[in-house]
Amino acid sequence: MTTLILGGTGKTGRRVARQLGPAARVASRTRGFDLADSATWPAALAGVTAVYLVEPNLGAGDRLPRFVADAVSAGARRLVLLSAPRAGEAGHPLHAAEEAVRGCGASWTILRPNWFAQNFSEGPWATGIRDGALTLPAGEGRAPFVDAEDIAEVAAAALTGDRHHGRVYELTGPRAVGFAEATALIARATGRKIDYVDVAPEAFVERQVRYGVPEPVANLLTGLLVELRDGRGAEPADGVQRALGRPPRSFEDFVATTSWPRQDETVA
């Protein structure tokens, strides 16, 4: 059994690979694989029986649906897609990928995680945490942040077990946490002063575009944060419990077990 892990060096991919051990084949540019170059796909898919699917670029069009078709043609019999909340709705950037997975003819599972807890430590918010000011257009909104370790464990279970076929798991943490509370918990754990700064959505979009984020993606991400500001998206889901038979890790546990970037440390 060989499982191909797309995004194998990313937040969830490397954790899934660690869960699977020798059965994992990590797909990355350093290993000659590029999701944007279909000529690199056959070598990565050779002998693969399962695939963990990740689309790192929400503006990449239909390449992931095409990869799904190639994976099944190459012999993959189990697919697990890292999707997102509301991707079942037409118009969402991952909707076509979900439809491709559902209709691929192989065993499939779809994961729709909420905001990652790791966004604070190794994702887009880590620089703000390191610098002492996290600036987002989320107001007093709250989110049930999910630990990437939980996502990876659910993915590994779905890649190796039969009972997850045809399941869509909405993955969240056990309770909604506000950004001010989250930064306060991290500040307490690190012994540093870290503020949460609310910013107007328009200013946030402008800043993202200035940093190189495509404007449609910047608008999408900003819109999701504004939904939190408006009080939506705060309800926890039971996906981790249903998939693993245990509650999800709390945000407090995530904070306590995370190695936080120092103020003089560059965030990848």
Side-chain angles (χ1 to χ4, degrees):
M1 299 288 289
T2 300
T3 298
L4 182 67
I5 311 294
L6 299 194
T9 59
K11 276 197 289 293
T12 64
R14 72 175 187 273
R15 290 174 167 89
V16 174
R18 188 175 66 235
Q19 290 266 348
L20 297 179
R25 177 186 298 171
V26 172
S28 68
R29 289 182 178 177
T30 60
R31 303 189 183 196
F33 175 82
D34 187 348
L35 190 56
D37 182 2
S38 59
T40 67
W41 297 357
L45 288 168
V48 161
T49 53
V51 183
Y52 179 62
L53 298 159
V54 178
E55 175 53 86
N57 181 0
L58 294 181
D62 69 343
R63 67 182 185 182
L64 197 59
R66 289 188 288 110
F67 185 83
V68 167
D70 281 17
V72 174
S73 294
R77 289 295 169 259
R78 185 170 287 161
L79 305 180
V80 174
L81 171 67
L82 183 71
S83 188
R86 296 171 59 179
E89 301 174 8
H92 191 283
L94 291 174
H95 179 71
E98 285 204 3
E99 291 299 293
V101 166
R102 288 176 184 271
C104 70
S107 175
W108 60 266
T109 308
I110 293 173
L111 312 183
R112 293 178 183 162
N114 204 284
W115 295 96
F116 291 16
Q118 276 73 11
N119 284 347
F120 291 95
S121 59
E122 59 189 73
W125 307 334
T127 298
I129 294 297
R130 181 202 63 191
D131 294 343
L134 178 62
T135 303
L136 295 171
E140 297 182 3
R142 300 181 302 139
F145 300 107
V146 60
D147 195 311
E149 297 288 350
D150 282 349
I151 300 170
E153 190 172 340
V154 173
L159 288 163
T160 57
D162 295 329
R163 74 178 186 86
H164 305 282
H165 169 58
R167 301 287 182 90
V168 178
Y169 291 121
E170 305 282 347
L171 304 177
T172 74
R175 73 178 183 92
V177 178
F179 288 89
E181 180 186 1
T183 52
L185 287 167
I186 297 167
R188 190 176 308 140
T190 59
R192 295 193 286 109
K193 184 177 186 295
I194 304 172
D195 295 321
Y196 164 58
V197 181
D198 185 29
V199 65
E202 298 79 8
F204 188 74
V205 169
E206 290 176 5
R207 188 174 71 172
Q208 297 303 299
V209 171
R210 193 163 61 247
Y211 289 160
V213 178
E215 188 169 354
V217 176
N219 283 321
L220 172 66
L221 296 176
T222 301
L224 294 173
L225 288 163
V226 169
E227 288 186 359
L228 296 181
R229 175 198 287 263
D230 294 340
R232 289 175 283 174
E235 286 298 318
D238 65 352
V240 173
Q241 180 72 50
R242 288 197 297 122
L244 302 179
R246 64 162 177 82
R249 292 181 71 202
S250 69
F251 191 80
E252 290 84 351
D253 286 344
F254 156 73
V255 170
T257 57
T258 293
S259 178
W260 293 98
R262 303 185 307 273
Q263 286 181 302
D264 61 347
E265 186 177 357
T266 299
V267 178

